[in-house]
Amino acid sequence: MSDAAPGTPTPPPPSPWERERPARARVAAARTPLSRGRIVEAAFTVLDRQGLDRLSMRQVAAELGVTVSALYAHVSSKDDLLELMYTRLFDGFEPPAPDPERWQEEVREYARSGRRRLLSHRDMARISMAHVPFTAELLPHVEALLAVFRTAGLPDRIAAEAGDLISTYIDGFAVEEGMWRDRAAQQGGESSSPARPDWREMADEMRNYFASLPAADFPHLRALAAVMVTDSSDERFDIGLEIILRGLASYLPDPAARAGADVSRASDAG
Amino acid sequence: MSDAAPGTPTPPPPSPWERERPARARVAAARTPLSRGRIVEAAFTVLDRQGLDRLSMRQVAAELGVTVSALYAHVSSKDDLLELMYTRLFDGFEPPAPDPERWQEEVREYARSGRRRLLSHRDMARISMAHVPFTAELLPHVEALLAVFRTAGLPDRIAAEAGDLISTYIDGFAVEEGMWRDRAAQQGGESSSPARPDWREMADEMRNYFASLPAADFPHLRALAAVMVTDSSDERFDIGLEIILRGLASYLPDPAARAGADVSRASDAG
DNA sequence: ACCTGAACACCGTTCAAGT
DNA sequence: ACCTGAACACCGTTCAAGT
């Protein structure tokens, strides 16, 4: 690094491992004027690097090579910035087109893509959980989800609650995933990056913990250890989703319309 | 305030409205030795007064009439303190006794009392959401809940997910309730205390907002406005809970065992 | 018009020193 | 044994001043 020939000071290459410092950003983008968009962008960078608890206005400013106070000309507060990040999460989201024949599949796609979006940035689920999609930009998304439930034939009271229930499930599940991710990353130390923690090691440890419990006091936890903690949580997400979908389907007034409910899987789920 | 007769400086009476300052606590309890229990107690007082975002070690210390650094002899960090608060939430919790005949009613009671506990302290749901009940003290509660699902006859994979799903629902619902509570309190200003915000005013405003949306773009939101935002959220909580319970019931291998599921309500829910 | 510098009122945590 | 005081390295936000 420091043994370059004098006169030709080769700057260290910006490697992805050198993540703890805002490096060349402050010179490269120094003359580009600030904007809400660039601030949000920088905030996501800091978020992924530091996590929500260490996402500060000062860190964002540093990332942009700018003073903290400069941010306040474009963003009214940290809360404002967080709301912008929340809103950006829905960018490019294509609302489902309501189709009574396949409403369950549409909800599945909505939920899975929602989870994917939340997982694409560190602690994003915690930010999502702290906000409500009732702003002018986000209301169309709520409308689209309600349209799916309502045109499927669900009673109004159920349709109204279903939107909340699904959203809460997605956020809550992703928040929990984030917690395990953090735990695995801080435990794995240097061997695993925060983006790709070693699940397997942590999952093994968890299963061992459950298996070590006294059999007399924890028969059910011991019996369920293997299915409770899995290497991938995709399957677990789908199971919870399916439970909700079946519950919703049970409210369809016309029993024939419940055909979409995959009740046949009931027996092979154990 | 400043026109008291000279020589008789009457101190202002400690009124319950003057909540922003830790008043006589610092003299009354000054000589009682510190303990984890007393620190947690003080933390709850600060939490209810200031909310989680302004709950600080310094505020807790002030509440106890003690220096910040004194706390660190009994509590290893702020996270440690938050975990103690989370654990205390389960104090006096009586686990449900598994009974296949009435497992749904047991889950309802569990969920309702869980919500009540979360609502008994400001922002408690946010604290709960950030923790996982896998400590030695809390594991018996998890075991009890799993016992209910498993002895009811649910397949293992479903039972394992059901615990998570119900807990996430309770926490998520209560987090959202807290958000509306905060919003109502800060909007109501002086007229309503943070403990008893005026729901009605806020609910009216919300319904008006939905009603004012263009009918062409938001037909479903307009149609559901009345059922989406209600004066009390008790009913909404029960509906979401019922959706989950019905979904779970659909996995019971023996159809006769599903008798507990109150499917008859399907038609009058709209 | 856009940003800087300095300031204000806070944070969590540590540690030598007092009693 | 238990607590204090001072310090360190941070926060969000404001505002006069510079260019």
Side-chain angles (χ1 to χ4, degrees), chain B residues 223-247:
Chain B
L224 297 181
V227 287
M228 279 187 67
V229 25
T230 53
D231 288 346
S232 160
S233 35
D234 294 359
E235 200 187 343
R236 288 187 44 235
F237 181 78
D238 282 352
I239 292 175
L241 188 58
E242 222 55 36
I243 293 171
I244 295 174
L245 284 172
R246 286 192 184 207

Side-chain angles (χ1 to χ4, degrees), chain A residues 16 35-36 44 77 93 95 98 109 113 116 148 153 184 187-188 236 254:
Chain A
S35 68
R36 288 166 79 86
F44 273 113
S77 66
F93 173 94
E109 279 166 20
S113 80
R116 242 180 282 121
V148 171
Q187 175 192 73
R236 288 186 45 234
D254 177 13

